[in-house]
Amino acid sequence: MSENQIPAGTVLRDQFGRGIEYLRISVTDRCNFRCVYCMPQEGLPWLPKAEILRYEEITEIVRQLAPLGLRRVRITGGEPTIRPQLESLIAQLRATPQVEDIALSTNGAKLPVMAPGLKAAGLDRVNISADSLRPERIVAIARRDLGFDPVSAFDAAIAAGLGPVKVNVVVMRGINDDEVADFARLTLERDLHVRFIELMPVGDMRELTFDHVVPSTEILDRIASLGALAADAGPSRGNGPAAYYRLAGAAGTIGVITPMSHTYCGSCNRVRLTADGRLRTCLYGDHEVMLREPLRRGEALGPLFRQALAEKPREHDLLQLKVGGLRALSQVGG
Ligand code: SAM
Ligand code: SF4
């Protein structure tokens, strides 16, 4: 039996027995924002165009990994919506029979215009990053003024049927931690799943320190001002590492993602594909296997995928790092 003729239902496991069925695909390292926790204001040394995977190449990688157990993909970046014709990639991925779920991570700035077309191309759902609901603060955190109104992006995604719509809020002490209750309140009326994320010491972060990290216990305390929180199963799909809660009678849910105060590596089911075609088995390490060159030479990728999984680390070591000790999430497909 060749590498690509694995029986249906096969789950590919890493060296610690974790089934790997989820691939995060970065389509660009560039962005129309410069979030304080992610990118320096002047940008980063961008990848040369020739090194970036074409949509057909990304699709071929997914086609080769799908028979090995890949079932879910997420398109991310950088900011994926700034890469032209993103809809054509989504349509190509949709045509891969084993892929059951296609999600997109975006800063939301282009969603009010793009949401219906993304849905029509075959996108299932979106995660939207939003760190403030206040116009001046949005500009200060994103360090770009695109006139972006996050609530219009949330509503466009819900109206286009791109649910469950998840909102990711990176909580920073003294910067946006006074808006935790405002974000939580959005779940009362809207079918939104607002997840509060602990700030991580990755990338540039010249303006941030460990003092800006707000632990999830403190985040939940701030929401308690709105009423009791009941533990909840969360949205129907792709719950990953978040723990979910619901305010009484709320349409949506509230989640916390705690990379700093707890690790969730034991149940990690994901690997990442960088925009230049490297497979990364852990967000936080340097473990990468180059797929682009073998792919361009026409070689089968199955053996390389197996090799990468055999080397997937047991867990990350975030707490041992100094601020800025790792590449930005925009560079590794966060
Ligand atoms: N541009 C898209 C977006 O912002 O959603 C996708 C890529 S972005 C790198 C993916 C996620 O990583 C975003 O939710 C962002 O908030 C998060 N992120 C980036 N740097 C982070 C950091 N230092 N700590 C916590 N989350 C971070
Ligand atoms: Fe861009 Fe997303 Fe990074 Fe913000 S978090 S700079 S939107 S890639």
Side-chain angles (χ1 to χ4, degrees):
M1 186 177 283
S2 83
E3 273 301 329
N4 288 331
Q5 291 173 307
I6 308 286
T10 299
V11 177
L12 202 52
R13 296 199 178 274
D14 73 359
Q15 58 173 333
F16 303 108
R18 294 171 294 193
I20 304 298
E21 52 146 53
Y22 176 31
L23 179 68
R24 294 175 71 104
I25 302 169
S26 173
V27 296
T28 180
D29 56 335
R30 296 173 188 238
C31 190
N32 47 357
F33 281 10
R34 294 286 184 273
C35 300
V36 280
Y37 48 74
C38 184
M39 262 191 210
Q41 201 145 11
E42 65 276 15
L44 289 162
W46 309 125
L47 291 167
K49 196 163 175 225
E51 290 180 15
I52 297 208
L53 292 179
R54 296 188 294 275
Y55 288 157
E56 291 68 25
E57 292 174 323
I58 294 174
T59 306
E60 180 56 25
I61 290 173
V62 169
R63 282 206 191 108
Q64 292 202 35
L65 299 188
L68 303 180
L70 180 64
R71 294 292 171 267
R72 300 192 290 125
V73 297
R74 170 173 299 282
I75 299 166
T76 180
E79 175 50 40
T81 61
I82 65 170
R83 182 156 170 188
Q85 278 117 36
L86 187 64
E87 295 82 355
S88 79
L89 172 66
I90 291 166
Q92 289 176 41
L93 295 175
R94 187 81 278 170
T96 307
Q98 296 94 336
V99 173
E100 294 162 6
D101 186 37
I102 305 176
L104 172 76
S105 285
T106 172
N107 61 30
K110 298 185 82 170
L111 265 191
V113 173
M114 290 180 66
L118 293 168
K119 178 69 185 178
L123 185 68
D124 289 307
R125 57 198 180 88
V126 288
N127 285 12
I128 305 170
S129 302
D131 303 317
S132 175
L133 299 169
R134 304 181 192 175
E136 341 66 71
R137 212 179 255 183
I138 292 168
V139 174
I141 295 172
R143 296 186 295 196
R144 285 284 162 96
D145 188 357
L146 304 183
F148 171 50
D149 165 29
V151 177
S152 68
F154 308 157
D155 288 342
I158 293 172
L162 290 169
V165 176
K166 298 179 186 170
V167 175
N168 290 339
V169 185
V170 177
V171 183
M172 294 165 279
R173 193 180 301 285
I175 295 180
N176 66 348
D177 56 336
D178 55 346
E179 291 189 65
V180 165
D182 293 344
F183 272 105
R185 203 176 284 113
L186 291 174
T187 68
L188 289 171
E189 303 290 333
R190 288 179 170 81
D191 186 11
L192 274 184
H193 306 278
V194 175
R195 294 120 48 95
F196 297 101
I197 303 177
E198 289 173 347
L199 176 69
M200 292 182 281
V202 295
D204 179 72
M205 298 223 319
R206 280 173 214 166
E207 296 163 27
L208 300 172
T209 70
F210 275 97
D211 294 340
H212 288 97
V213 176
V214 182
S216 60
T217 44
E218 207 180 311
I219 293 170
L220 291 172
D221 282 349
R222 282 166 196 245
I223 300 167
S225 65
L226 299 177
L229 279 174
D232 194 273
S236 53
R237 271 187 294 174
N239 285 352
Y244 285 97
Y245 304 87
R246 195 183 290 265
L247 288 161
T253 64
I254 292 161
V256 286
I257 302 181
T258 56
M260 296 302 287
S261 54
H262 308 88
T263 93
Y264 37 78
C265 305
S267 57
C268 181
N269 62 350
R270 59 195 61 195
V271 290
R272 293 178 159 76
L273 181 65
T274 63
D276 60 346
R278 296 162 200 273
L279 194 69
R280 286 182 70 93
T281 55
C282 177
L283 181 52
Y284 307 101
D286 280 330
H287 308 265
E288 290 181 340
V289 173
M290 167 54 90
L291 297 185
R292 184 189 70 232
E293 295 312 321
L295 177 74
R296 289 183 179 173
R297 288 194 297 268
E299 294 169 16
L301 302 178
L304 292 169
F305 195 51
R306 290 174 190 288
Q307 176 203 331
L309 287 191
E311 292 163 7
K312 182 169 165 66
R314 184 188 291 273
E315 60 191 2
H316 67 66
D317 215 1
L318 268 185
L319 298 177
Q320 305 303 318
L321 282 168
K322 293 202 286 288
V323 165
L326 275 179
R327 289 163 77 195
L329 293 198
S330 65
Q331 294 173 298
V332 296

